[in-house]
Amino acid sequence: MFKDIALSRDLLAEYRASRGGGDEKFSAMVLKFSTWPFGKYEGTIGLPPEMSEAIAAFDEFYKLKHKNHKLEWNHSLGTVTLSAQFDSGTKELSVSLYQAVVLLLFQNESKLTYKDILSQSGLKPKDAIVTLQSLALGKVRVLVKRPTGKDIGEEDEFLFNVKFEDKRRKIHIPGIQQQETVEETKQIEQAIDLDRQATIDAAIVRIMKGSKKLMDEELKIKTIEALRRHFVPTVQDIKKRIEHLLEREYMDRDEKNHNLYHYVA
C-alpha cells in the first residue's frame, strides 16, 4: 500500500512536469485493485467540464506511459476543495466529489428540486439522497431543504444557504456513511479474490517462463517472494492456481516426477 502511495506521488509529479508545472489543482492516486479493499466502482456522476478534461488529460498521459494498463476512476473516493461565497464572506469547503458536483449545480440556480439534482448530477438515487442529507441535514448546512425533515422526497426543494455562518474560513463537510449490504460485501470480496487469482497466475507463468522447469516447493517459494510486496498468497491458493495452469496447459508435470513442472512455450 505504501509503495502505491509513493509511486502515485512520483507519477503525479511527472504528469505535472509534462504539462509545464500546470494542473496543480488536480491530483490522482493510482492504486492496485488487488492491494486495496475497494469494490469495483459502479456509480454514475455528471462531472463538470473542467473536471472531465483534467481526468481525460491524466488518462491519456497514463496510457502513453503504461500501454497495457487501464485506469478505472472511482469517483466515490474523490475529494474537492471549493470556494463558496456566503453573506458572511468567502469560505473554503472541503467536500467529497459527490458533494462538490451537487453544490456546483447551484452556481447558476438559486433553487433546485430533488428531481432536478438527480437528473443533472447523474448520481444514483441512494447516492444523491445521502449526499443531500450531508449538505442540508448534517452539522454543516450549506443547503436549505424544504419542507424540513430527515426524509427526502421527489418534490423536495433545496436552496443554497447564503445565510450560512461559521467562524472558520476552512470547513470540512463530512459525508454520511452508507452501510454495505451483505451482498455488496460479498461481491467486493469475490472481485478482489478474482483479481488476486489472475495476479498469482501471471507470477507463476513469469517464473516458469524464466526457469523452464521447477520443483513444486521451489515454485511456491518463488511465487510468494514475487508477490510479497503486493500481498502474501497462501500455499493453498498457489496450489489451486498451479492446478488451474496445468489444466490450461501453460505448464505440465514431469512424467517420472510429479513434483517437477515444465514450462510449455
Side-chain angles (χ1 to χ4, degrees):
M1 287 186 173
F2 292 112
K3 183 182 178 183
D4 277 0
I5 294 171
L7 289 174
S8 287
R9 287 173 182 163
D10 293 342
L11 185 67
L12 185 62
E14 188 177 341
Y15 167 69
R16 286 173 174 168
S18 73
R19 298 178 68 81
D23 270 2
E24 289 293 332
K25 293 181 179 180
F26 173 81
S27 180
M29 294 287 288
V30 180
L31 309 174
K32 291 181 180 177
F33 184 66
S34 59
T35 305
W36 295 78
F38 304 138
K40 185 176 177 61
Y41 177 71
E42 295 179 347
T44 57
I45 193 168
L47 294 175
E50 186 178 358
M51 291 185 187
S52 296
E53 290 167 8
I55 286 175
F58 184 84
D59 215 329
E60 184 179 357
F61 163 81
Y62 187 81
K63 286 178 180 177
L64 288 172
K65 191 173 178 64
H66 302 283
K67 294 182 179 180
N68 296 323
H69 293 190
K70 179 184 177 184
L71 288 179
E72 290 188 4
W73 294 88
N74 191 332
H75 298 310
S76 67
L77 302 174
T79 58
V80 180
T81 300
L82 296 177
S83 180
Q85 184 66 45
F86 301 97
D87 287 351
S88 60
T90 302
K91 303 292 183 183
E92 195 173 279
L93 306 179
S94 175
V95 296
S96 72
L97 182 54
Y98 284 4
Q99 290 171 326
V101 167
V102 170
L103 288 173
L104 288 172
L105 296 177
F106 289 89
Q107 285 188 110
N108 302 313
E109 300 287 346
S110 59
K111 180 174 65 177
L112 290 167
T113 66
Y114 166 72
K115 284 183 177 179
D116 294 332
I117 294 169
L118 194 64
S119 63
Q120 293 181 40
S121 69
L123 290 170
K124 288 183 176 181
K126 68 174 185 177
D127 293 326
I129 288 172
V130 295
T131 300
L132 287 168
Q133 286 173 334
S134 70
L135 295 171
L137 304 174
K139 293 181 179 180
V140 183
R141 302 189 177 190
V142 291
L143 295 183
V144 175
K145 175 183 175 295
R146 293 178 180 171
T148 58
K150 292 183 178 181
D151 295 329
I152 293 178
E154 290 189 355
E155 303 303 325
D156 286 359
E157 294 181 339
F158 294 86
L159 299 85
F160 185 70
N161 185 11
V162 294
K163 301 295 183 183
F164 172 78
E165 291 186 358
D166 196 297
K167 293 181 180 179
R168 299 167 295 172
R169 185 177 179 277
K170 297 182 179 180
I171 304 165
H172 172 66
I173 304 180
I176 295 176
Q177 186 68 35
Q178 296 186 58
Q179 290 188 342
E180 291 178 347
T181 64
V182 174
E183 182 60 29
E184 286 173 334
T185 302
K186 185 178 178 181
Q187 288 175 357
I188 290 171
E189 291 174 349
Q190 288 176 341
I192 292 174
D193 186 51
L194 286 172
D195 190 73
R196 289 189 172 183
Q197 286 179 17
T199 303
I200 295 171
D201 288 353
I204 292 172
V205 171
R206 283 197 304 271
I207 292 166
M208 289 301 301
K209 186 175 181 180
S211 301
K212 303 306 178 186
K213 62 180 181 178
L214 278 174
M215 296 295 292
D216 181 75
E217 285 303 314
E218 191 176 4
L219 177 56
K220 291 172 186 173
I221 292 171
K222 284 181 176 289
T223 302
I224 292 173
E225 190 61 36
L227 298 174
R228 190 179 297 279
R229 291 184 179 181
H230 307 293
F231 65 94
V232 180
T234 66
V235 172
Q236 190 62 33
D237 287 338
I238 297 173
K239 285 175 66 176
K240 288 179 181 178
R241 302 323 301 164
I242 289 174
E243 291 300 327
H244 171 74
L245 293 171
L246 288 169
E247 290 177 6
R248 296 286 303 276
E249 297 183 349
Y250 282 93
M251 48 197 275
D252 59 23
R253 293 182 188 275
D254 188 87
E255 292 183 1
K256 295 181 179 179
N257 186 348
H258 280 200
N259 287 322
L260 178 63
Y261 304 119
H262 296 271
Y263 175 69
V264 179

